[in-house]
Amino acid sequence: MADNPTLGEWLARRGVSRRTVLAYAAHVGALMALPPAARSALAQGLASTRRQSVIWLSFQECTGCTESLTRSFSPTLENLIFDFISLDYHETLQAASGEAAEDARRAAMAADKGKYVVVVDGSVSTKDGGVYSTIAGVANVDMLRDAAKDALAVVAVGTCAAFGGLPAAKPNPTGAVAVCELVVDKPVVAIPGCPPIAEAVAGTLAYLVAFGALPELDSLRRPKAFFGETIHDRCYRRPFYERGLYAEGFDDEGARRGYCLYKVGCKGPVTYNSCATLKWNGGVSFPIQSGHGCLGCSEPDFWDQGGFYRPLSTSLPGLGPTLAGAAVAGAALGGAAAWLSRRHLKSFQAGAEKPEGDAS
Ligand code: SF4
Ligand code: SF4
Ligand code: F3S
């Protein structure tokens, strides 16, 4: 067997059968709504690929994004996929430190020039040359530019990396910006959420590794497979919303009966994410199931918009509890357009290559 095994060979060494790989590909394919032919292409791509070098840069962040990934319940094939990925640099998870760590990053970049993937969590400080956040004496902004220069693609994990997040909230003292505001000549995919769902990160990376291309993205560069619907679209409390049955407080009869949380501030109608379907902790629950409205954590500027306990009708005039679906979608898209315009960014037009068999 080769010294540099394919994923199929490597999994076989660990006693993982081909059937399991096919089942995983079918699972990821189903999550991403890939047609059957593309699911088999995904399985073949995964089995035949070699170790993908990943350089993970953590900038202005709270470690929540990494925590989310590492706390995904295990063992799962997602873990195996992450094991298979050659995580050549990750300040939180790597054993090396200091110069040895920086040497490992530089060595990986040189060895896999043009082929490695850069994953970023955290926003990037740009004020005063980026002096407010440095690693090994190098400003984050310079390290990102250097790492992205020869990367295959850049993955912005979490709302801080995708949209600036909390560090970019007013008054944004460090001049924090999103990754896509600095990396303009490489494919960038955003997987927002504070933190993001582990399966969305693993699924997007699996797709990228298997096909060497990004999945279909929305105007904010989010994979449509995971961010194509609002929380509201798939929320199990939706029947109560439709019948006008709302909790008016967190301890009233409506809350006890599990009524819709719109009136206590739920932002599910304008938030695109998969929480209502994938859920968290291996599919156990998600905020709304735990009795708290969605904060909108996977949308731009969610922190500045605040009003976490104010109904959307007071945050977004015109959006009352009887709002129509089209109006909701329009408000969400309007929010995205406003963020792009404030940041002087163009709406991203998905131009990703589709895998063979994917006619979606
Ligand atoms: Fe932390 Fe949220 Fe930012 Fe991730 S997106 S680094 S969890 S603040
Ligand atoms: Fe669910 Fe919130 Fe929509 Fe109510 S407003 S149905 S709680 S997503
Ligand atoms: Fe975030 Fe809302 Fe999901 S707050 S975790 S997008 S339910």
Side-chain angles (χ1 to χ4, degrees):
M1 196 176 285
D3 289 326
N4 184 17
T6 63
L7 176 57
E9 292 166 340
W10 182 87
L11 289 173
R13 285 182 194 177
R14 293 176 60 122
V16 178
S17 69
R18 187 170 173 275
R19 183 185 292 269
T20 309
V21 176
L22 286 172
Y24 175 73
H27 175 64
V28 171
L31 286 180
M32 303 186 75
L34 298 178
R39 292 181 204 181
S40 4
L42 180 70
Q44 278 164 18
L46 281 175
S48 60
T49 192
R50 298 194 183 272
R51 282 174 70 89
Q52 171 68 58
S53 173
V54 172
I55 294 172
W56 189 300
L57 303 174
S58 295
F59 295 150
Q60 295 192 118
E61 47 81 41
C62 74
T63 317
C65 290
T66 292
E67 284 280 336
S68 172
L69 289 175
T70 57
R71 299 295 168 94
S72 65
F73 75 119
S74 67
T76 66
L77 255 188
E78 284 96 328
N79 296 126
L80 297 180
I81 294 293
F82 277 116
D83 284 347
F84 177 77
I85 285 169
S86 178
L87 195 54
D88 292 322
Y89 183 85
H90 190 306
E91 287 147 26
T92 309
L93 303 178
Q94 69 195 5
S97 60
E99 272 308 311
E102 296 311 304
D103 286 347
R105 179 175 60 81
R106 285 188 283 265
M109 285 166 54
D112 284 300
K113 195 169 175 180
K115 294 190 225 153
Y116 60 82
V117 170
V118 172
V119 177
V120 181
D121 63 340
S123 63
V124 192
S125 165
T126 56
K127 192 174 172 186
D128 299 330
V131 295
Y132 302 105
S133 185
T134 64
I135 298 167
V138 179
N140 294 168
V141 62
D142 295 329
M143 187 175 282
L144 175 60
R145 286 203 176 108
D146 185 45
K149 184 165 42 83
D150 294 317
L152 173 70
V154 179
V155 183
V157 165
T159 298
C160 292
F163 306 131
L166 266 66
K170 290 172 187 159
N172 191 359
T174 67
V177 300
V179 167
C180 67
E181 294 177 70
L182 296 167
V183 180
V184 292
D185 57 352
K186 294 284 174 187
V188 177
V189 56
I191 310 175
C194 187
I197 298 175
E199 285 78 3
V201 179
T204 304
L205 283 175
Y207 188 103
L208 182 55
V209 167
F211 296 124
L214 300 183
E216 193 177 359
L217 307 179
D218 71 6
S219 64
L220 294 173
R221 300 170 187 273
R222 300 175 293 197
K224 283 187 178 174
F226 299 109
F227 297 90
E229 293 179 300
T230 65
I231 304 291
H232 190 64
D233 285 335
R234 303 299 293 269
C235 180
Y236 75 102
R237 296 193 191 223
R238 182 72 179 263
F240 294 118
Y241 171 89
E242 300 294 350
R243 291 166 58 200
L245 296 172
Y246 305 101
E248 308 267 350
F250 289 104
D251 58 355
D252 68 0
E253 188 56 23
R256 275 188 284 281
R257 286 174 176 265
Y259 288 170
C260 169
L261 300 169
Y262 180 92
K263 289 193 176 176
V264 287
C266 182
K267 303 298 180 290
V270 293
T271 302
Y272 285 81
N273 206 341
S274 300
C275 307
T277 47
L278 292 180
K279 302 190 178 176
W280 291 82
N281 300 320
V284 170
S285 187
F286 73 115
I288 289 168
Q289 196 171 337
S290 304
H292 196 288
C294 168
L295 301 181
C297 79
S298 56
E299 294 295 323
D301 295 338
F302 88 98
W303 191 257
D304 278 341
Q305 284 175 20
F308 296 144
Y309 300 103
R310 281 202 312 270
L312 268 172
S313 51
T314 57
S315 318
L316 292 171
L319 287 187
T322 55
L323 71 178
V328 175
L333 294 173
W339 182 78
L340 289 164
S341 142
R342 267 198 305 284
R343 299 290 184 156
H344 307 291
L345 294 168
K346 286 192 178 139
S347 174
F348 178 72
Q349 298 299 320
E353 287 173 32
K354 287 182 182 158
E356 205 176 319
D358 183 353
S360 60

